Amino acid sequence: STLTSELDPAPIVEWMELVRARVHAETVNAPAASRLYAYAGITVYESLLPGMTQFRSLAYQVNGMPEMPYIDDADTYDWLSSANGALSTIMGGLIPTSDSRQAFNALRREQAAARAEDVGDAVVTRSLAFGDQVGKAILGWAKEDGYDDSRQRTADYTLPIAADFGLAEADDYLYVQTNDAIPLAEPYWGQIRTFAVYSPYECYVENQMIFSIDEESAFYQQAMEVFRVSNNLTPEQREIAEFWIDTPGISSTPAGHWVSIMNQMVDHLDLTLDRAAMMYGMVSIVLGDSFISAWSQKYETLVLRPETYINRQISRGWRSYLATPQFPEYPSGHSVVSAAASDMLTTLFGVVPFTDRTHERDTGVTRSFLSFEHAADEAAISRLYGGIHYRNAIENGKRMGRCITERTLNNIVMLPVAQGE
């Protein structure tokens, strides 16, 4: 069989773009989307792994992940067809609507026909079957991650109120929804099984900004910063806020923005397929853990949004530049996921200048960065420009994201350590 490194990664990019498109079309919320991308990236890696002779499986390294199916060493396989089979199986299982399944099946047929012209029908059929086995194994593991239970419990969730904690009105720091017409997003997401960190608590960054209505306090001063900045946005600040908005139903979500950046890196860095597989596996894992960790802390700290605080203490008629999302404020999810993804990409590829074309087709807007960290910093501060996060949640969110990548790199080994003879 041809080694993975000798194959064109373009079909994998096509698959990851389709996953982004279906997340957008299905209006998948931000945490749920990160889960889909995590399993997709892991599936890319494991389905291509038999053609990557130096690499190690994620099985037994990622939480609860079982051993993966084996190939028959006597047979010839096409690893792109294995990935095609695995991705169509896992994504069809995770997004089972008829429209999405039709899209996944159509790409499966299209890629199978293209590969058959290169390697023949028999090899493609055998490779698809192996990929289906990998996809089913990962799907079975995914079904045990607590997602279904989280969804069922969400229907009965009610936000705590001040009286539950014996708080006086002046001391009411608790989050309240700013738009009851939009459902509260995933209050139990923090109980989903993590991927590479041992628990969502592993990278908690304590919220040390104590709630206060005193005008000299950090809380009031940070709210005033949001108020002043968002009232005097420059054209570039408005562009930054809109570029990173990544709203579910209008985009492929914050995690999907980083999947788009990965897809762009395949061409930008001229990646071989094995290097691309490593990127999709490792970055997708931290995308998943970022949202589990951030959402766990959001619903434990229950910090109120700037819009609520500013309306109560500074200006009753003020509205944020970006509509306030319907979940608690601390930490900033964009900050967590962007710091984690950028740190992992920097670990893999170093400091890379690039132009992000994620929204070029829709809006014509691109933005250029000197490094992955530069992009992550802009994604994070965009939330202050948008009027929806205090600086505290942004800075501590980045710390959380960096921790998630650091722990992931400690817990997962993809390549054996070299040694002398």
Side-chain angles (χ1 to χ4, degrees), residues 368-401:
S368 295
F369 303 102
L370 300 173
S371 65
F372 299 118
E373 187 174 8
H374 182 195
D377 286 344
E378 185 177 284
I381 201 65
S382 76
R383 312 311 272 171
L384 190 147
Y385 299 158
I388 58 178
H389 277 296
Y390 313 105
R391 186 175 291 274
N392 177 59
I394 291 167
E395 292 177 350
N396 283 349
K398 289 194 291 185
R399 289 170 63 197
M400 178 185 272

Side-chain angles (χ1 to χ4, degrees), residues 268-322:
H268 186 60
L269 298 174
D270 196 22
L271 297 182
T272 55
L273 183 54
D274 57 340
R275 292 288 287 168
M278 191 176 189
M279 171 183 71
Y280 285 121
M282 293 298 278
V283 177
S284 297
I285 284 168
V286 301
L287 297 181
D289 278 346
S290 290
F291 275 89
I292 295 168
S293 300
W295 250 247
S296 174
Q297 195 160 12
K298 278 180 180 292
Y299 283 95
E300 289 195 8
T301 54
L302 291 166
V303 175
L304 80 175
R305 288 280 181 174
E307 186 169 309
T308 306
Y309 185 92
I310 291 169
N311 288 168
R312 288 176 180 173
Q313 309 300 335
I314 299 169
S315 171
R316 196 165 68 181
W318 181 86
R319 293 292 177 267
S320 53
Y321 181 65
L322 302 181

Side-chain angles (χ1 to χ4, degrees), residues 5-66:
S5 58
E6 296 169 17
L7 296 169
D8 183 357
I12 303 301
V13 175
E14 195 175 13
W15 259 109
M16 296 304 282
E17 278 297 302
L18 178 58
V19 175
R20 288 183 64 237
R22 295 318 305 168
V23 164
H24 179 173
E26 301 279 1
T27 317
V28 180
N29 67 43
S34 71
R35 172 179 180 263
L36 297 174
Y37 296 127
Y39 287 119
I42 290 168
T43 300
V44 168
Y45 181 81
E46 290 295 330
S47 60
L48 296 170
L49 183 67
M52 296 156 51
T53 53
Q54 296 303 309
F55 287 75
R56 299 178 67 202
S57 174
L58 296 170
Y60 306 121
Q61 298 195 79
V62 175
N63 294 343
M65 185 171 171

Side-chain angles (χ1 to χ4, degrees), residues 29 32 146-156 186 188-189:
N29 67 43
Y147 172 76
D148 291 337
D149 181 53
S150 161
R151 299 292 288 176
Q152 288 163 7
R153 295 178 67 201
T154 292
D156 298 325
E186 303 291 357
Y188 293 106
W189 199 259

